[in-house]
Amino acid sequence: MGYNLRNRATKAGEGEDRDPRTLGPEETGDAATNSEAQARAVEALEKVVSSQGLLDDIIDGVRLGLFTIIFLLLVLLALLGGSTPQLFPVVRPMWDFVGNLPRFVLVFPYRVLDFASALPRTWPEAQLFVQDLVAERDNLIKTLPYKQMAIWFITAKYLWTTYLCVRQRDRLHEINRPHAIRQIVSRQKFLEANAYSLDKSSVGMVKDFYSTAVAIAKIVYGYYPLIWSVSGLVSTHYLYFSPDNEIAQTCVMLALSSVEETVLDLPFSLYTTFVIEEKHGFNNQTLSLFFSDLVKGLLISVTLGSLVTAGFVWVVHNTSDMLYLYTWLFLVTVGLLYTFVYPTLIQPLFNKVEPLPEGELRASIEALASRVNFPLKKLYQIDGSKRSSHSNAYMYGFFKNKHIVIYDTLIESTSIEETCAVLAHEIGHWKRGHVLRLILLGFAESFVMLYTFSLLVYERSLYESFGLGSMPVMIGYYLFADVYSPVSTVLYFIKNIVSRKYEFEADAFAKKLGYGDHLKSGLIKCEVNNKGNMNPDPLYSAYHYNHPPL
């Protein structure tokens, strides 16, 4: 498990002293000698953070519009009363639902008792009960409105995440530090972090709206039948594969969709890297390096993705009722192999990875590993500064073959003791079994998903609802993912809760080793240097963060 310092709080008061010369303990020297420059810088940042841009005006307009619509609807309902569904038939389903709620609440206990009384009490009854459930399930699968469900779920998820972003954005506009960080983060650093997060929030919200609109448009206007037909044309007429070769056609579709997604995402990637990251002092990339990474990443994803996709489709077609088990075993194997392939074969294509030089830092890390019996096999340094000033560190490997990779930016921005404290936290994950538990949790999640997918992969009504005449496996998987998104959203939230709990336990482990103060100072430095979110909205952070905020 990699310790992502950026994600510790990167997903931003009240009654504060407004003196812009208030400095945190990380700033040294006599503040009085540069108070005027400090004051001007803080004043400029206050204006940037508190100012309302176009996106904020749009948000306020939507809020006002929603409140107005709700108020008018309530007035209209009060005036029309029971005649509302006759005058406006479109609201009848909601009207009936709300009207039946009291009755549903009253009869619910009796429904539960009826269900309990109907439960089987003998083995033959249990067999019949299961058969009835399976029959009901199969009938439901054939009658679900898959296309409408996909649109509803995509829209609902967008509205939910946008609501969270708006809540977070309100926090980002605050210019006063929370009490909890007032003694450890200067006012200027706090405002710089908010300004950075606001810029990222603006681009993120525009991108989310754009991505959601594209996803819905693909469903409404028949994107999946189109790309499958185009892939078949390319596969048969230009690559000379048989028209019945689904694996070849699927690999072509993967390549075309990867290129399409890369092109659609390119404006946002360019703006984020060369405008936002550049503006806030993080970007070290050149355009040539950016596009070199883009091309290499695309080629690697298409090559490896095609191999995995071909294997997945083959397994699905060559297994029977247990296809969920065999596809699960296949994907688990691929996932475990990737943990070895990425750091040893893929990452060196993008970064220079070399052994950490002999010296005090290496000796301290090796002493730490020996102290807790951590099976450290290799210790590397990576040139993260080649692309960004953000700092990071992670480890990988299984059993007695553990590797630690440290970004040069982390080494430069923290002391030896602080770097060891961060690694002690990571070793705490290993010592407490967090890595294995999270891996097993991921395996269980994928098993449930693949079992559900196995119920739908050969369900013709799923494909027909999206305009497909055939039933290609990967198209079915994409459609299933849209329908399955509510479950994925809930599991995402649960995994983040578990992850944050483990982070506190790993912090406690590092503290027990005597690194408490150094871990605290190291994380503060990383948070300040990375301009992390230091004033997160509770609901936003509860849903999005897998690491606790500062």
Side-chain angles (χ1 to χ4, degrees), residues 304-377:
L304 296 182
S306 296
L307 292 174
V308 175
T309 299
F312 181 78
V313 173
W314 186 90
V315 171
V316 170
H317 281 311
N318 288 274
T319 54
S320 55
D321 295 337
M322 299 288 285
L323 73 86
Y324 60 90
L325 177 60
Y326 294 109
T327 54
W328 178 75
L329 290 173
F330 172 75
L331 293 181
V332 164
T333 303
V334 169
L336 294 176
L337 287 175
Y338 186 75
T339 62
F340 292 100
V341 171
Y342 175 78
T344 56
L345 298 179
I346 297 177
Q347 186 162 54
L349 298 175
F350 297 89
N351 293 94
K352 183 180 180 182
V353 182
E354 55 187 2
L356 185 68
E358 296 291 338
E360 187 179 355
L361 176 60
R362 186 181 184 93
S364 298
I365 295 173
E366 290 174 342
L368 168 63
S370 177
R371 177 183 172 187
V372 296
N373 297 319
F374 179 74
L376 179 60
K377 184 76 172 180

Side-chain angles (χ1 to χ4, degrees), residues 425-532:
H425 167 99
E426 276 304 304
I427 292 174
H429 286 303
W430 165 78
K431 198 73 172 179
R432 300 301 186 201
H434 298 160
V435 178
L436 179 60
R437 292 179 199 172
L438 289 173
I439 289 174
L440 293 177
L441 180 62
F443 288 168
E445 178 190 359
S446 63
F447 184 85
V448 172
M449 180 192 69
L450 288 169
Y451 175 77
T452 310
F453 171 65
S454 70
L455 301 176
L456 296 174
V457 63
Y458 293 126
E459 178 51 54
R460 184 165 295 279
S461 62
L462 169 66
Y463 300 87
E464 290 177 346
S465 66
F466 289 89
L468 286 152
S470 58
M471 297 189 296
V473 170
M474 283 309 298
I475 291 285
Y477 184 81
Y478 294 154
L479 302 180
F480 163 76
D482 288 337
V483 176
Y484 191 75
S485 60
V487 180
S488 300
T489 300
V490 173
L491 293 177
Y492 170 79
F493 175 62
I494 293 173
K495 286 192 296 184
N496 281 345
I497 292 175
V498 174
S499 178
R500 288 196 299 270
K501 177 179 179 292
Y502 288 166
E503 292 302 317
F504 286 118
E505 292 179 6
D507 285 344
F509 177 83
K511 182 179 179 180
K512 187 177 180 180
L513 292 178
Y515 287 105
D517 292 337
H518 290 122
L519 180 64
K520 176 182 177 180
S521 60
L523 293 177
I524 291 171
K525 281 184 180 179
C526 292
E527 191 72 0
V528 170
N529 292 338
N530 288 332
K531 298 183 180 179

